[in-house]
Amino acid sequence: MAPFNVSKFAVMALIALNAMASSDAYVNPSNKPTSVESASTSTNIKRTFINRDIKTPDGVPEEGIKEAMELMASGRMYRYNVPSADKSVVSLCEQEVVDYTGHKYCVALNSCGSAIMLMMKTAGLEPGDKVMSNAFTFGAVPSAIEHAGGKAVYVESNYDHVMCPDDLEAKLAAHPDCKFCLISHMRGKVGDMDRIADICEKNGVTLLEDCAHSLGVYWQGKHTGHKGKASAISSQSYKMINSGEGGFFLTDDAEMAAKCAVYAGAYEGLAAKHLTVPGPEVFADLPTQIPNYSLRMSGIAAAVIRPQMKTLQERIEKYNSRYYKLCEKLEARLGDLISIPKLTPGVTQMVHDSIQFNVSPDVTEEQIQVFLDECKAHGLPVELFGHKSNARNFVNWGFAPADEPLPRTAAMLSRACDCRMPLMWDDEDFDDMADVICESLEAAVNFN
């Protein structure tokens, strides 16, 4: 027998290992991907990566920066440190907001959460009163209900991500003592407001609208916020107007507007330095009868908002154009693996500053997690509304827990994905966004 040639064996082994490495081969005992990395490499395709920040907010126009700088130089950042209402940048901003939304009265506040809380206070909510609200919304909404002293009763949301009118009707029948409904237009998506308003009216319920996400969205030709007795919009950084933090209380009801201004901090005769509140006869002795919570908007916030109001329509058109192109790409490539929520008939203008889609029931929970991990690994943090850490998942509202099961909302949230569409990105970045979403879901469904 010929002697065993060790050097020849080593050479053959090195050649085999080199061939495996050059072909991107992957072997494990189960012949299955075991990580995000292996799910990616097992597809054996070149993957798309995004190097942009998904949290990029809209910048402040030069005009706003200049006015804010002038205010800081003068030191007159407090809204009432002016000789008259028409010299107040906050009052001028309030006027510009109502000129856009069509409301009669407006009070600028330090946050939309404050505006929502004051909607309930000024509508007559008493401690312990029940408030119907979407089971799918941001945690700030039940927080505002709790802040106002109310108790949330949650209404199911459907796969179009809006309140279910049938469940609202059923919940009001089960809770006849509930006299308030706070509807939230999450991600700008509006439910059947005609039917919801009719249900509230028949049950003697005051309807209030959280329009934090729906600035620029129109229902039946009118800006959202007119079906309810009052509404609130936001100027937090990820909304259509950006002042970091801020909000606006909007109504056509004179008494609610006067109370809101006083709660916000219009003490003594300071209401005279507003342009969009009712006259002194409505205020009467309110400043001595209700507390001052000091929730006013600062002049700096108003200064940076004002020029953004002028460009709203231009920016809406840009958002929507990008959105529809992105939807077309996703639907063409992913087919039945996803469904994109449909707009409720009656929405006459939408604002698509983000995209949401529901992953098919044919995709397992494990595959959904792989999809999310794949997106993140390739530079695109897609969120799952039903994730255990997501503030939009009602199971995380321990401060205002649901007393009744919400199976339809829970099922929807477990498959509902969310991704911002930053305006400051370039058009080609949204081609990359489509590719990352498609490639990641394709890799995930091949994970078995």
Side-chain angles (χ1 to χ4, degrees):
M1 179 181 291
F4 185 73
N5 191 331
V6 176
S7 61
K8 182 177 179 181
F9 177 80
V11 169
M12 291 174 66
L14 287 170
I15 292 171
L17 287 170
N18 184 61
M20 289 175 67
S22 64
S23 62
D24 290 321
Y26 175 81
V27 177
N28 66 50
S30 65
N31 198 33
K32 295 178 182 179
T34 58
S35 68
V36 171
E37 181 181 359
S38 61
S40 299
T41 58
S42 67
T43 61
N44 201 30
I45 60 171
K46 183 178 179 181
R47 292 293 300 270
T48 306
F49 286 82
I50 290 177
N51 296 310
R52 302 293 300 268
D53 180 8
I54 198 69
K55 298 291 190 180
T56 304
D58 292 0
V60 176
E62 188 63 35
E63 180 184 342
I65 295 171
K66 181 182 177 183
E67 187 166 24
M69 293 288 286
E70 289 172 352
L71 272 178
M72 287 188 282
S74 72
R76 296 180 184 275
M77 295 170 283
Y78 174 49
R79 72 164 297 165
Y80 297 129
N81 192 359
V82 290
S84 60
D86 61 350
K87 301 298 182 183
S88 166
V89 64
V90 182
S91 295
L92 293 171
C93 184
E94 290 165 337
Q95 183 64 60
E96 288 156 358
V97 169
V98 296
D99 287 346
Y100 183 81
T101 66
H103 289 86
K104 189 171 182 180
Y105 304 116
C106 176
V107 179
L109 300 160
N110 62 350
S111 74
C112 189
S114 294
I116 296 170
M117 182 272 288
L118 290 182
M119 279 201 297
M120 289 177 282
K121 294 283 287 185
T122 59
L125 183 80
E126 296 291 340
D129 281 353
K130 295 176 181 177
V131 182
M132 293 287 163
S133 187
N134 308 48
F136 170 48
T137 185
F138 183 51
V141 176
S143 296
I145 294 172
E146 191 275 340
H147 190 184
K151 176 175 174 52
V153 178
Y154 300 111
V155 180
E156 294 270 25
S157 297
N158 61 29
Y159 276 91
D160 290 322
H161 302 182
V162 297
M163 181 182 282
C164 173
D166 290 341
D167 195 54
L168 173 62
E169 201 161 31
K171 291 284 169 61
L172 285 172
H175 299 271
D177 55 334
C178 179
K179 296 304 173 188
F180 300 91
C181 177
L182 172 61
I183 187 166
S184 180
H185 305 313
M186 268 297 284
R187 295 297 188 261
K189 293 175 172 57
V190 181
D192 186 345
M193 291 306 296
D194 289 346
R195 187 171 171 214
I196 288 166
D198 286 345
I199 291 169
C200 289
E201 185 176 0
K202 288 174 184 176
N203 287 275
V205 169
T206 299
L207 177 61
L208 304 168
E209 295 184 60
D210 164 24
C211 298
H213 292 212
S214 68
L215 180 61
V217 179
Y218 280 66
W219 174 263
Q220 304 283 17
K222 292 185 74 172
H223 197 279
T224 45
H226 286 276
K227 282 292 183 179
K229 195 170 183 182
S231 64
I233 63 173
S234 175
S235 61
Q236 188 265 353
S237 278
Y238 300 141
K239 305 302 189 298
M240 287 300 294
I241 47 177
N242 172 19
S243 63
E245 290 285 357
F248 296 87
F249 174 106
L250 296 160
T251 186
D252 291 335
D253 185 283
E255 184 179 358
M256 288 181 74
K259 286 182 176 179
C260 180
V262 174
Y263 276 128
Y267 58 90
E268 296 173 349
L270 292 176
K273 294 185 178 182
H274 286 250
L275 294 171
T276 55
V277 298
E281 70 284 356
V282 180
F283 281 85
D285 60 350
L286 283 176
T288 63
Q289 299 301 311
I290 61 177
N292 165 5
Y293 294 143
S294 296
L295 303 173
R296 298 171 292 260
M297 177 178 282
S298 78
I300 299 296
V304 301
I305 290 169
R306 293 186 65 202
Q308 295 176 60
M309 293 300 300
K310 299 175 184 178
T311 62
L312 265 176
Q313 201 59 35
E314 174 188 339
R315 291 184 286 122
I316 289 168
E317 290 170 6
K318 188 171 184 178
Y319 272 124
N320 289 349
S321 173
R322 287 173 165 178
Y323 173 84
Y324 290 120
K325 288 176 184 176
L326 179 59
C327 287
E328 186 177 357
K329 290 176 184 290
L330 296 181
E331 291 178 322
R333 185 161 168 183
L334 297 176
D336 293 338
L337 286 175
I338 64 166
S339 64
I340 295 174
K342 294 179 174 59
L343 295 183
T344 306
V347 174
T348 48
Q349 176 171 285
M350 183 57 184
V351 179
H352 293 291
D353 58 346
S354 61
I355 186 167
Q356 293 75 44
F357 53 89
N358 304 309
V359 179
S360 165
D362 294 332
V363 180
T364 68
E365 289 185 7
E366 182 184 19
Q367 289 171 329
I368 290 175
Q369 186 58 54
V370 172
F371 163 66
L372 299 174
D373 292 343
E374 284 279 320
C375 286
K376 185 176 181 180
H378 291 85
L380 185 68
V382 173
E383 294 191 9
L384 182 72
F385 283 133
H387 194 274
K388 61 183 178 181
S389 64
N390 197 308
R392 297 146 200 88
N393 186 349
F394 65 85
V395 302
N396 293 319
W397 304 338
F399 52 87
D403 291 335
E404 304 168 50
L406 296 159
R408 283 177 283 173
T409 305
M412 178 272 285
L413 293 175
S414 71
R415 300 191 164 271
C417 295
D418 178 45
C419 188
R420 296 190 71 240
M421 297 181 63
L423 189 73
M424 306 308 288
W425 283 20
D426 299 317
D427 288 344
E428 54 266 28
D429 293 321
F430 295 94
D431 295 332
D432 291 340
M433 179 181 284
D435 287 339
V436 169
I437 291 172
C438 292
E439 291 166 9
S440 297
L441 191 52
E442 288 162 352
V445 297
N446 289 324
F447 179 89
N448 50 46

